[in-house]
Amino acid sequence: MRKTARERAEEQFSAIQRQAKRAQTDHEIELQERAEHIARLRALRLAKEADERERAGNASAANASAANASDANAAVEDETSTR
């Protein structure tokens, strides 16, 4: 039995709809993967920045300790030289 033009058109339309749905799903998957990649890069960047801040804080604390020790030694030397 031959299909009418309407039945063929409906079949074509259904096939196109299924194909469009698959394409949309593929696009959504790509968007999700991209979002995950960006989130991973952001997390790595934030961790790196936090590490750099911590190292800078430790370095400045070490420099401050050294400076305080140097100041304390200088003060002791001043007291002994004035006596």
Side-chain angles (χ1 to χ4, degrees), residues 12-25:
Q12 281 181 333
F13 179 76
S14 296
I16 291 170
Q17 292 291 63
R18 284 192 303 275
Q19 183 180 9
K21 188 172 183 176
R22 278 194 304 269
Q24 183 179 12
T25 303

Side-chain angles (χ1 to χ4, degrees), residues 14-82:
S14 296
I16 291 170
Q17 292 291 63
R18 284 192 303 275
Q19 183 180 9
K21 188 172 183 176
R22 278 194 304 269
Q24 183 179 12
T25 303
D26 291 343
H27 180 68
E28 289 171 355
I29 290 170
E30 289 174 12
L31 290 176
Q32 179 64 31
E33 288 173 351
R34 182 171 169 84
E36 289 171 1
H37 177 72
I38 290 170
R40 180 177 170 270
L41 291 176
R42 182 173 187 260
L44 290 171
R45 179 181 51 85
L46 292 174
K48 178 184 172 196
E49 289 174 358
D51 185 50
E52 289 173 351
R53 279 194 301 271
E54 183 179 326
R55 288 182 186 202
N58 290 343
S60 65
N63 290 342
S65 298
N68 289 340
S70 176
D71 290 344
N73 289 339
V76 169
E77 288 176 8
D78 285 345
E79 284 183 25
T80 57
S81 65
T82 56

